[in-house]
């Protein structure tokens, strides 16, 4: 049976129809829940309050083994008739905003838009996971395979997908993943754009910009040489990649005429190819090494050294579009009357399972509405918001199967 045929069969089940109808009726509640969770601020590494709130909702819905793990992921289990497979459905709880960014409880405007930092990325995903859980319970569907529900921590920035890395390490029984990260459902992210963000720190002697000129090697000049070499790196159009210096640090305004002892820069490079990511890293490392050598050689000294700190490390990985979970995603989108959009890459929690060879997709893309995520102007349009919840519900049932229908993994 093809995924399209399985989707049609699933759609004919009365319990599935009941769940879809419930989700539409549940829309207002889901939006209010999204607002509630947005007001529980959760900067990366500080998700415990939001995790506790989500865990309580898991308990209220009757999930088993509900707990916060060692990194503050909120986890609950819905047992299936067959426990040989476990399908994970999750959304990350953290936002890029510091505490105090949410000034007041947001409201829905006359234009059906909610303005609030974190309202889309990714509190929308968290509310969708909870709506799917309610629909399964309300409709009385029994999944064929186990389903693990989770709100994950430390996805953003320096968290480097830490919650998902921890979750998969602690739960090797997970056989597939559906991540929800965004506001719509027609975009299919199934490959992983790898990310490396490093801080390079240069150390040497400090001195007066005039009095010590010519007597010591200059840390800032070594840094400048390195950045110039990095800026000359040329990358191919395919696989899509980048290499960007995103910050330079060192010195003080008070010491504006001093040669600083220590300076640093941050470089971020990304690629849709794991092999290309390694090659970019080697080019960056060589640029820094050569810059230090040249600056020291100019003055005939060996004073300047450098060190490296990894700030973000998200794995790259790929899987074929012609795989059961991706085909199921496409079939579900077409069943809902839309056309799927397959992306070549993306960086989200599904990077981790894809990198490990575990089938995974991320839902949340494809909306024509500009959410302004990662900015204080972040916003969310509530028009037809129930459709994302319905899509996630159907995709999960295709992956986990039911008492009356097979899983796409059978």
């Amino acid at each position: 049976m093809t995924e399209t045929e399985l989707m049609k069969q699933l759609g004919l089940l009365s319990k599935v129809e009941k769940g879809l109808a419930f989700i539409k009726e549940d829309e207002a509640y889901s939006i209010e829940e999204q607002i509630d969770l947005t007001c529980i601020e959760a900067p990366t590494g500080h998700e415990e309050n939001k995790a506790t709130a989500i865990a309580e909702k898991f308990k209220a819905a009757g999930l088993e083994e509900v707990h916060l793990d060692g990194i503050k992921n909120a986890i609950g289990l819905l047992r299936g008739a067959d426990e040989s497979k476990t399908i994970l459905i999750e959304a990350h709880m953290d936002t890029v905003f510091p505490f105090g960014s949410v000034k007041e409880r947001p409201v829905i405007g006359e234009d059906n838009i909610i303005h609030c930092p974190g309202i889309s990325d990714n509190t929308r995903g968290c509310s969708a996971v909870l709506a799917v859980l309610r629909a399964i319970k309300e409709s009385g569907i029994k999944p064929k395979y186990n389903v693990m529900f989770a709100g994950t921590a430390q996805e953003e920035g320096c968290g480097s997908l830490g919650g998902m890395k921890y979750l998969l390490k602690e739960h090797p029984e997970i056989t597939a993943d559906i991540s929800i990260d965004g506001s719509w459902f027609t975009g299919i992210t199934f490959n992983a754009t790898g990310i490396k963000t490093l801080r390079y720190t240069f150390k040497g002697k400090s001195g007066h910009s005039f009095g010590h000129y010519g007597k010591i090697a200059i840390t800032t000049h070594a840094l400048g040489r390195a950045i110039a070499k990095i800026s000359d790196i040329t990358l191919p159009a395919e696989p899509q990649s980048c290499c960007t210096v995103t910050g330079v640090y060192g010195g003080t305004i008070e010491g504006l005429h001093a040669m600083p002892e220590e300076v640093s820069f941050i470089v971020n490079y990304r690629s849709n190819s794991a092999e290309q990511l390694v090659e970019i890293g080697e080019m960056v490392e060589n640029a820094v090494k050569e810059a230090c050598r040249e600056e020291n050689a100019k003055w005939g000294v060996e004073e300047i050294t450098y060190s490296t700190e990894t700030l973000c490390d998200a794995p790259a990985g790929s899987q074929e579009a012609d795989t059961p979970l991706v085909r199921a995603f496409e079939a579900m989108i077409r069943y809902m009357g839309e056309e799927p959009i397959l992306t070549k890459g993306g960086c989200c929690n599904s990077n981790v399972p894809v990198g490990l060879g575990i089938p995974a997709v991320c839902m949340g893309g494809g909306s024509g509405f500009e959410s302004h995520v990662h900015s204080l102007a972040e916003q969310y349009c509530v028009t037809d918001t129930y459709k994302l919840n319905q899509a996630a519900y159907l995709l999960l049932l295709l992956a986990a199967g039911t008492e009356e229908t097979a899983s796409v993994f059978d």
Side-chain angles (χ1 to χ4, degrees):
M1 182 179 292
T2 68
E3 287 78 13
T4 298
E5 292 169 338
L6 184 59
M7 180 64 253
K8 289 180 179 178
Q9 184 184 65
L10 185 71
L12 292 173
L13 297 182
S14 59
K15 289 182 179 179
V16 171
E17 292 178 344
K18 183 177 179 181
L20 291 171
F22 169 80
I23 287 174
K24 190 170 185 178
E25 294 166 1
D26 184 62
E27 182 178 42
Y29 180 88
S30 181
I31 293 170
E32 286 303 309
E33 183 174 60
Q34 182 178 347
I35 293 172
D36 290 343
L37 291 173
T38 304
C39 291
I40 306 174
E41 293 181 285
T44 303
H46 301 280
E47 300 90 348
E48 55 274 10
N49 291 337
K50 186 171 287 186
T52 298
I54 290 174
E56 288 302 317
K57 292 176 182 291
F58 286 169
K59 288 179 183 177
L63 292 185
E64 300 178 36
E65 301 179 19
V66 175
H67 67 286
L68 304 190
D69 66 16
I71 205 169
K72 298 299 187 291
N73 292 318
I75 300 170
L77 183 67
L78 177 61
R79 293 193 187 277
D82 181 341
E83 297 195 48
S84 63
K85 291 183 175 66
T86 297
I87 312 301
L88 171 66
I89 181 169
E90 66 83 31
H92 74 85
M93 301 178 293
D94 57 322
T95 72
V96 301
F97 306 101
F99 286 117
S101 299
V102 179
K103 305 298 183 183
E104 59 186 7
R105 180 181 173 82
V107 297
I108 303 171
E110 294 181 0
D111 54 1
N112 273 355
I113 294 175
I114 307 172
H115 298 270
C116 190
I119 190 69
S120 284
D121 186 9
N122 184 37
T123 316
R124 177 66 202 128
C126 294
S127 64
V129 168
L130 292 166
V132 169
L133 174 57
R134 285 194 297 274
I136 288 176
K137 289 294 186 178
E138 181 70 20
S139 62
I141 290 175
K142 177 76 171 179
K144 178 177 181 179
Y145 296 121
N146 287 350
V147 177
M148 181 179 291
F149 289 82
T152 51
Q154 298 188 29
E155 190 265 359
E156 300 282 10
C158 291
S160 298
L161 318 181
M164 180 62 95
K165 291 175 181 176
Y166 188 95
L167 185 63
L168 292 181
K169 183 179 179 181
E170 293 295 308
H171 295 278
E173 72 273 18
I174 292 172
T175 52
D177 162 61
I178 297 170
S179 294
I180 306 177
D181 193 347
S183 57
W184 201 235
F185 66 93
T186 54
I188 303 176
T189 301
F190 65 100
N191 282 323
T193 300
I195 298 179
K196 293 278 283 189
T197 305
L198 306 177
R199 189 202 317 270
Y200 279 95
T201 300
F202 300 77
K203 292 186 178 181
K205 291 183 178 179
S206 59
H208 193 282
S209 62
F210 182 70
H212 291 94
Y213 185 81
K215 300 177 182 178
I216 62 175
I218 304 171
T219 54
T220 49
H221 290 193
L223 177 145
R225 291 176 189 271
I227 293 176
K229 292 177 186 295
I230 290 170
S231 69
D232 286 337
I233 292 174
T234 300
L235 300 174
E238 290 291 338
Q240 185 177 352
S241 307
C242 75
C243 182
T244 309
V245 173
T246 59
V248 178
Y249 310 90
T252 63
I253 191 63
E254 293 80 8
L256 76 169
H257 294 148
M259 299 175 185
E261 182 177 324
E262 181 177 308
V263 294
S264 65
F265 71 81
I266 292 175
V267 60
N268 170 245
Y269 53 95
R270 307 182 182 212
S271 181
N272 288 342
S273 161
E275 293 77 14
Q276 183 71 57
L277 196 69
V278 172
E279 290 181 15
I280 297 172
E282 291 172 349
M283 288 189 283
V284 169
E285 183 72 15
N286 288 336
V288 174
K289 188 180 298 183
E290 185 65 12
C292 286
R293 188 197 66 76
E294 289 177 0
E295 183 62 21
N296 283 328
K298 178 177 181 178
W299 307 108
V301 295
E302 294 293 332
E303 295 171 345
I304 295 179
T305 61
Y306 73 91
S307 60
T308 311
E309 179 186 3
T310 300
L311 303 178
C312 179
D313 186 358
S318 62
Q319 60 184 338
E320 296 296 325
D322 190 24
T323 55
L325 188 57
V326 179
R327 291 196 303 264
F329 203 159
E330 291 183 281
M332 175 275 296
I333 292 170
R334 291 193 174 101
Y335 179 82
M336 292 190 67
E338 302 280 354
E339 275 301 307
I341 304 167
L342 276 74
T343 61
K344 292 183 178 180
C347 189
C348 51
N349 267 339
S350 59
N351 276 46
V352 184
V354 169
L356 294 172
I358 299 171
V361 290
C362 182
M363 178 184 294
S367 171
F369 177 77
E370 177 53 67
S371 297
H372 299 300
V373 298
H374 288 206
S375 79
L376 292 173
E378 189 165 337
Q379 57 187 12
Y380 178 72
C381 181
V382 303
T383 303
D384 291 337
T385 187
Y386 69 91
K387 290 184 178 180
L388 171 65
N389 299 351
Q390 288 182 332
Y393 168 76
L394 291 173
L395 184 59
L396 177 61
L397 295 180
L398 285 170
T402 73
E403 290 177 302
E404 299 176 67
T405 57
S407 158
V408 295
F409 297 114
D410 290 339

